[in-house]
Amino acid sequence: MKALNIVKIFGNIVLGGMLIFGGIKKFEKPSPAPTEIIDKVKSGQEVAPNTDILKIKNYVFGMKQTDYFWQFLGIMELLAGILLIGQVASLLGAIIALPLTANIFLFHMYLEPNEMGELFQMLGLLVINLLLISFGYKYWKPMLFDKSIFKFS
């Protein structure tokens, strides 16, 4: 049981640290103008050296140019990371982190399939996230099987 707690704490720190790092990186540069890529194309500047990189740039640019989603993503990564590292509400942090880690993994799988090192790193984070959620099974199991908890009368 002690070894399981050590694994859980280690997983919380690794996943939480990566999410905090990623969340902070989202606020390093200001959001681009909504027409930045179009302006580059019109002026004859190279936007990307190949279509694979263009897909990545368009995907990230789309999130940034909304003026809210990139920042929202950063806030959610920071929140999940802080909850994970704080240990007290780590299950909540792991649940919040699941769609984030799944999306990061899928991003690398579909948009950077040749970057095997990054793909395996993101797969590792997704597995850690799933393990942390599975460690809290006894806490969320009643929501799946005990329908009386949803009666509000």
Side-chain angles (χ1 to χ4, degrees):
M1 196 64 173
K2 186 175 181 176
L4 187 63
N5 284 336
I6 292 171
V7 169
K8 182 180 172 191
I9 291 169
F10 179 74
N12 285 337
I13 292 170
V14 169
L15 183 59
M18 291 295 284
L19 288 170
I20 288 172
F21 176 75
I24 290 171
K25 298 282 280 177
K26 302 268 186 302
F27 295 99
E28 285 184 346
K29 297 179 184 175
S31 292
T35 60
E36 183 180 298
I37 289 182
I38 295 168
D39 294 339
K40 282 184 179 181
V41 170
K42 284 181 180 178
S43 69
Q45 295 178 37
E46 182 181 58
V47 177
N50 59 50
T51 55
D52 291 337
I53 293 175
L54 183 61
K55 287 179 189 178
I56 293 167
K57 284 187 169 244
N58 284 338
Y59 178 78
V60 173
F61 177 77
M63 288 189 287
K64 285 181 176 181
Q65 67 91 33
T66 63
D67 277 340
Y68 82 92
F69 192 76
W70 192 248
Q71 294 83 359
F72 172 74
L73 191 57
I75 290 168
M76 294 310 294
E77 287 178 353
L78 287 169
L79 174 65
I82 290 167
L83 290 171
L84 284 161
I85 287 180
Q87 303 294 323
V88 175
S90 62
L91 178 59
L92 179 60
I95 291 169
I96 292 170
L98 184 59
L100 302 172
T101 57
N103 185 55
I104 293 167
F105 171 72
L106 292 171
F107 171 89
H108 287 279
M109 188 167 91
Y110 286 103
L111 296 178
E112 291 186 323
N114 297 327
E115 299 289 334
M116 295 305 286
E118 287 183 21
L119 183 62
F120 283 120
Q121 182 183 9
M122 296 309 118
L123 177 62
L125 291 178
L126 181 59
V127 168
I128 289 170
N129 198 169
L130 291 169
L131 283 172
L132 292 174
I133 291 173
S134 70
F135 291 154
Y137 178 71
K138 67 181 178 183
Y139 299 110
W140 55 264
K141 177 185 169 189
M143 290 191 298
L144 298 176
F145 300 109
D146 185 4
K147 304 301 180 206
S148 67
I149 65 170
F150 294 112
K151 292 182 183 174
F152 298 106
S153 55

